[in-house]
Amino acid sequence: MASYLAWLRIPFFVSSGLTALASGLLYWKQKPNQFGISDYGDLRLQTPDGETLSAFFIRPSNKRQARRLTLLMFHGNAGNIGHRIPIAKVLEEHIGCNVFMLEYRGYGLSTGTPNEDGFNIDAQTAIDYIRNHAETRDGKIIVYGESIGGACATRLVANNQEAGDVAGLILVNTMTSLRKLIPSVFPPAKYIAGLCHQYWNSEQEMPRIKDIPILFMSGLKDEIIPPSHMKELYSVCRVKQKVWRDFENGTHNETIAEPGFFDYIAEFVQDVLGGRKMELRL
């Protein structure tokens, strides 16, 4: 895993959507084989509203230790799934699971225009694919979301928890809602935040989740989403099996490279699939 820490720690100068758009990084995409991954699918999914989504389906490299588990991964606002391949590689090696990386509409090679309703359609399209695909339909699903991807993941799990195949939810540096985030990012905008038509209201969606184990992972030096957002989501979470992990030096994009990050995920997965009692902590 150490060989990939350099990639994980690359400063995302695409942290702002404007920078990403100007640099073209929203549309240039690396492939898994550039990171030594050979067993993967480069997919195109059709959404119910006519968009075409790009996705990677990465299979575990160690077949003997492979689990009947797919980790459905939703990335943050900046960049595209090509920039998260090193994360997916560590996950499939560390956990022994499939990793399904979805690219939202308007990102990378996916068609369409980014918007909240569209992202939610995209997320449902991805989980439906996993449920119907021969390799994955009989396994469990853990949903993983970073930043705005966490908001997408939270709503998806809330809407799909009754199906019985969603085994867990992992949230990394996620906001309570876009309206509450705006004043933190740009204080003068606090007076017009109420006019925002994109809501991403995770604090409203979170209490809807009843029995799905949730892992909250918060970088305490997050410079984009204040850590108080994650603490609030943990507070309003009603599930009995919830775990809090924080990282003293974790920033918004580099929390994933903090010591213990992937170990905590592996421990959570083992607890979820193995039925062990979880540590509840804040």
Side-chain angles (χ1 to χ4, degrees):
M1 183 173 71
S3 61
Y4 296 97
L5 287 179
W7 281 99
L8 297 178
R9 286 195 177 279
I10 289 177
F12 267 13
F13 61 90
V14 291
S15 290
S16 83
L18 290 176
T19 305
L21 187 60
S23 66
L25 285 174
L26 282 177
Y27 305 100
W28 173 72
K29 187 170 76 172
Q30 295 166 298
K31 297 294 183 94
N33 57 13
Q34 294 175 255
F35 294 89
I37 299 172
S38 58
D39 194 359
Y40 73 95
D42 191 348
L43 309 178
R44 298 294 181 271
L45 310 183
Q46 300 299 315
T47 68
D49 60 341
E51 302 298 347
T52 301
L53 307 179
S54 176
F56 290 141
F57 177 67
I58 298 174
R59 301 174 183 89
S61 53
N62 189 334
K63 305 303 181 185
R64 291 185 177 182
Q65 297 182 10
R67 305 172 185 265
R68 297 190 65 79
L69 171 69
T70 299
L71 191 144
L72 173 55
M73 187 175 179
F74 296 112
H75 64 77
N77 177 60
N80 57 55
I81 59 176
H83 303 113
R84 274 75 179 189
I85 295 171
I87 304 174
K89 182 174 178 64
V90 176
L91 287 169
E92 67 87 359
E93 290 180 345
H94 217 54
I95 300 172
C97 64
N98 303 307
V99 179
F100 190 99
M101 307 177 72
L102 177 72
E103 193 146 68
Y104 315 118
R105 61 186 62 203
Y107 281 68
L109 302 179
S110 296
T111 65
T113 302
N115 64 83
E116 182 178 4
D117 290 340
F119 279 20
N120 290 321
I121 293 173
D122 299 345
Q124 189 62 50
T125 299
I127 200 169
D128 287 345
Y129 176 90
I130 293 171
R131 285 171 169 163
N132 292 293
H133 187 54
E135 290 183 72
T136 53
R137 61 189 175 200
D138 295 325
K140 293 293 186 180
I141 302 168
I142 290 180
V143 184
Y144 170 103
E146 300 175 10
S147 189
I148 199 169
C152 194
T154 300
R155 182 169 182 179
L156 181 71
V157 170
N159 288 340
N160 287 269
Q161 60 188 318
E162 305 297 335
D165 53 359
V166 178
L169 170 62
I170 300 171
L171 299 178
V172 183
N173 294 338
T174 298
M175 59 191 170
T176 55
S177 72
L178 187 57
R179 286 186 174 183
K180 287 189 175 181
L181 177 63
I182 288 174
S184 300
V185 176
F186 186 56
K190 65 181 180 180
Y191 302 107
I192 60 173
L195 301 178
C196 178
H197 297 297
Q198 303 288 315
Y199 302 104
W200 294 110
N201 199 338
S202 293
E203 64 180 344
Q204 178 177 297
E205 299 291 340
M206 182 61 70
R208 295 177 52 212
I209 302 175
K210 305 302 181 184
D211 298 310
I212 305 296
I214 304 177
L215 172 61
F216 296 82
M217 309 186 78
S218 177
L220 299 184
K221 291 186 179 178
D222 191 327
E223 73 285 9
I224 295 178
I225 298 178
S228 59
H229 283 243
M230 285 289 285
K231 291 180 180 178
E232 180 62 23
L233 289 177
Y234 183 92
S235 177
V236 301
C237 176
R238 296 177 179 175
V239 305
K240 294 180 179 180
Q241 293 180 300
K242 59 180 182 179
V243 180
W244 174 270
R245 300 295 186 190
D246 55 43
F247 303 85
E248 183 178 357
N249 295 311
T251 61
H252 188 68
N253 289 313
E254 294 188 356
T255 295
I256 57 173
E258 287 300 300
F261 183 87
F262 292 100
D263 291 330
Y264 289 145
I265 292 178
E267 180 182 278
F268 175 76
V269 170
Q270 180 60 43
D271 289 346
V272 166
L273 300 184
R276 295 188 303 183
K277 185 177 181 181
M278 293 184 182
E279 173 190 359
L280 308 182
R281 175 172 79 86
L282 178 58

